[in-house]
């Protein structure tokens, strides 16, 4: 098709035979459709394949003085640059064992001498088409793999930047730095890693989910964007009415994330997790939390993990409405909340890695800005 009509696109065939009249015959038969290069010996053939243009197919005589056809083929198959060029042996031998040797060294086909022109043309065409299809698929696969990696990286970067931007927007309302976000996402990951082999949690906490938890944690208080300053920033204790408004930060957060999800064609798992966390992180194990008053395992695991991380950080931080507590006081308050405020197994994990929480808190301490 295009091969015949566009000489620039012609396939290049290398014919190798120690008999000049055979080379002449092959050239005559093939030259109307292909670019033909001829080699009178194995040595010449190896030199020619190494020089442009690229050889697409080789017709290779077996019996030649010097390097014979089998050896030429072996060498071609050893070299990355020539390994994929299909080799068809031309042979007058009809011995089955010789044919086996030809395939063993990597030939794709045999053509018997004396050469039948229609068979030659048909086989050459078949093997060139196979080769082109293989090349196409290989190039396409390489391209697609690179493209997938590139896009995943891009999506992941956009996710990270977006979450951080949204999260810090919520946080700058009542905090000076983005450190609360960094601390809580690190606490959540530390808890999840501690619990990933626990019988109650190991099914849920695979490596991918832990990474997504880490990524979505910054959005837990995104709903605080919707809370008026006079409540959020009130230096003292909230009235019941004010606290009722304050509690809506959970549903506001869920709604904001759900709205973002509706603009997407497919569910995005980190947004689903972020929504669960925003909506559920103020629930309590004994059912006394908000907004739904869920208890125990009805509270999504992501939200139960976030509750411990969030409260620890609220406790050790100075808020407009409260002083900072020490690490030891915070640990004690969380211990008291076991099976009341918090999932008891998550509290156990927290108590075991409390020192790690303290390390994270120091690494992203307030007033330090970006860690060095
Ligand atoms: P936050 O400051 O991030 O606190 C998150 C959670 O940490 C609180 O959820 C609570 O469970 C825990 N927590 C914080 N401080 C203390 C404390 O001193 N002792 C104990 N035992 N737990 C503490 P909660 O109470 O539902 O509050 C949700 C959000 O409402 C708080 O987020 C904060 O932004 C706001 N808030 C709560 N109480 C007040 C208040 O009296 N005044 C003001 N201005 N805001 C408040
Ligand atoms: C903070 O005061 O550190 C942030 C409050 C929150 O986002 O929970
Ligand atoms: C911060 O997140 O950097 C501030 C936390 C706090 O002091 O309340
Ligand atoms: Fe909250």
């Amino acid at each position: 098709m295009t091969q015949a009509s566009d000489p620039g696109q012609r396939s290049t065939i290398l014919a190798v035979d120690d008999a000049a009249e055979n080379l002449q015959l092959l050239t005559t038969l093939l030259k109307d459709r292909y670019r033909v290069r001829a080699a009178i010996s194995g040595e010449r053939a190896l030199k020619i394949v190494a020089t442009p243009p690229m050889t697409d197919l080789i017709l290779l005589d077996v019996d030649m003085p010097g390097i014979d056809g089998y050896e030429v083929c072996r060498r071609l198959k050893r070299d990355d640059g020539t390994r994929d060029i299909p080799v068809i042996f031309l042979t007058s031998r009809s011995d089955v064992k010789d044919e086996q040797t030809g395939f063993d060294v990597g030939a794709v086909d045999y053509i018997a001498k004396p050469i039948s022109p229609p068979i030659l043309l048909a086989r050459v065409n078949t093997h060139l088409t196979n080769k082109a299809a293989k090349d196409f698929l290989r190039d396409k696969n390489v391209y697609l793999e690179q493209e997938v990696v590139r896009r995943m990286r891009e999506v992941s970067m956009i996710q990270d930047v977006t979450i951080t931007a949204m999260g810090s927007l919520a946080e700058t309302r009542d905090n000076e730095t983005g450190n609360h976000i960094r601390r809580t996402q690190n606490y959540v990951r530390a808890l999840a890693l501690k619990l990933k082999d626990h019988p109650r949690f190991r099914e849920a906490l695979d490596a991918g989910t832990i990474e997504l938890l880490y990524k979505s944690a910054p959005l837990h208080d995104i709903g605080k964007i919707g809370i008026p300053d006079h409540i959020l920033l009130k230096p003292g204790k909230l009235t019941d009415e004010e606290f009722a408004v304050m509690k809506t930060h959970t549903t506001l957060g869920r709604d904001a994330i759900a709205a973002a999800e509706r603009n997407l064609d497919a569910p995005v798992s980190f947004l689903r997790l972020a929504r669960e966390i925003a909506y559920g992180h103020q629930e309590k194990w004994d059912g006394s939390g908000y907004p739904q008053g869920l208890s125990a395992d009805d509270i999504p695991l992501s939200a139960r993990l976030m509750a411990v991380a969030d409260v620890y950080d609220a406790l050790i931080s100075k808020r407009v409405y409260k002083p900072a507590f020490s690490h030891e006081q915070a640990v004690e308050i969380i211990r008291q909340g076991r099976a009341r405020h918090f999932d008891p197994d998550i509290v156990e994990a927290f108590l075991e890695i409390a020192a790690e929480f303290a390390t994270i808190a120091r690494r992203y301490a307030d007033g330090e800005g970006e860690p060095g």
Side-chain angles (χ1 to χ4, degrees):
M1 356 174 276
T2 54
Q3 276 182 354
S5 59
D6 180 358
Q9 292 286 89
R10 285 184 170 207
S11 298
T12 300
I13 297 179
L14 171 61
V16 190
D17 201 306
D18 61 312
E21 65 274 21
N22 285 343
L23 286 181
Q24 187 56 54
L25 172 67
L26 289 167
T27 306
T28 306
L29 290 172
L30 296 167
K31 71 176 179 355
D32 289 344
R33 298 193 201 179
Y34 308 106
R35 183 207 307 255
V36 184
R37 302 174 88 186
I40 195 80
S41 69
E43 289 83 347
R44 285 293 305 153
L46 291 170
K47 287 212 178 77
I48 289 174
V49 286
T51 61
M54 275 275 295
T55 303
D56 295 299
L57 182 140
I58 300 173
L59 296 167
L60 185 56
D61 186 25
V62 175
D63 281 321
M64 293 184 290
I67 308 175
D68 73 1
Y70 296 141
E71 183 55 24
V72 171
C73 192
R74 277 188 206 101
R75 293 191 191 182
L76 291 169
K77 297 299 161 188
R78 271 204 297 267
D79 185 333
D80 281 345
T82 54
R83 173 173 303 145
D84 293 330
I85 305 171
V87 172
I88 300 176
F89 278 121
L90 305 170
T91 180
S92 44
R93 302 181 180 192
S94 53
D95 188 289
V96 172
K97 182 174 170 300
D98 289 338
E99 289 177 353
Q100 187 57 51
T101 308
F103 290 123
D104 288 347
V105 297
V108 294
D109 210 345
Y110 264 95
I111 294 178
K113 290 184 195 172
I115 285 164
S116 146
I119 289 182
L120 174 76
L121 290 172
R123 298 267 178 86
V124 164
N125 182 49
T126 299
H127 290 293
L128 283 174
T129 308
N130 280 350
K131 166 79 162 34
K134 266 191 207 159
D135 287 353
F136 175 76
L137 285 178
R138 194 190 42 228
D139 291 353
K140 202 178 162 90
N141 278 339
V142 168
Y143 168 77
L144 286 176
E145 275 164 24
Q146 290 169 346
E147 193 60 10
V148 166
V149 168
R150 192 183 69 74
R151 290 197 194 174
M152 298 263 294
R153 208 177 287 143
E154 196 174 277
V155 165
S156 172
M157 273 167 46
I158 292 170
Q159 278 184 4
D160 293 354
V161 168
T162 310
I163 297 166
T164 307
M166 288 170 70
S168 46
L169 194 54
E171 179 164 347
T172 47
R173 296 286 310 291
D174 60 346
N175 289 282
E176 311 225 320
T177 71
N179 284 347
H180 168 66
I181 280 179
R182 291 193 196 91
R183 292 193 299 265
T184 44
Q185 72 177 164
N186 280 286
Y187 302 144
V188 165
R189 181 165 61 190
L191 280 177
L193 287 172
K194 179 70 188 169
L195 288 164
K196 72 180 169 39
D197 298 318
H198 190 288
R200 268 183 72 214
F201 305 115
R202 67 176 161 229
E203 213 176 308
L205 294 178
D206 56 277
T209 302
I210 294 175
E211 177 64 19
L212 290 178
L213 275 172
Y214 177 82
K215 281 194 172 195
S216 38
L219 295 180
H220 72 280
D221 268 339
I222 187 82
K224 282 186 177 175
I225 290 176
I227 304 300
D229 279 359
H230 74 271
I231 296 176
L232 187 67
L233 303 181
K234 181 175 172 177
K237 196 164 166 46
L238 301 177
T239 65
D240 288 350
E241 293 74 27
E242 288 166 339
F243 195 57
V245 173
M246 189 64 228
K247 286 173 167 182
T248 65
H249 79 279
T250 52
T251 45
L252 289 173
R254 176 205 53 185
D255 293 348
I257 296 167
E261 285 177 291
R262 275 195 296 278
N263 289 324
L264 299 169
D265 297 337
V268 173
S269 27
F270 96 85
L271 283 179
R272 182 183 53 73
L273 269 184
R275 174 163 45 77
E276 253 176 35
I277 292 174
Y279 194 41
H281 74 280
Q282 301 280 175
E283 301 287 357
K284 294 185 180 176
W285 182 256
D286 64 7
S288 66
Y290 58 90
Q292 298 183 92
L294 296 179
S295 58
D297 283 324
D298 289 343
I299 308 166
L301 175 58
S302 57
R304 277 177 272 148
L305 292 165
M306 189 68 217
V308 173
D310 191 33
V311 171
Y312 173 83
D313 205 60
L315 291 170
I316 64 156
S317 302
K318 182 173 156 312
R319 296 279 203 256
V320 284
Y321 67 94
K322 62 170 276 297
F325 293 109
S326 71
H327 169 76
E328 288 70 25
Q329 288 170 310
V331 170
E332 191 45 40
I333 291 171
I334 288 177
R335 189 200 308 275
Q336 298 295 326
R338 185 183 184 281
R340 294 213 275 272
H341 189 155
F342 309 111
D343 183 323
D345 290 328
I346 298 179
V347 171
E348 293 308 323
F350 165 78
L351 294 173
E352 283 177 47
I353 61 166
E356 201 179 326
F357 271 57
T359 304
I360 292 167
R362 262 196 308 277
R363 188 181 323 139
Y364 302 104
D366 292 328
E368 310 279 308
E370 288 289 338

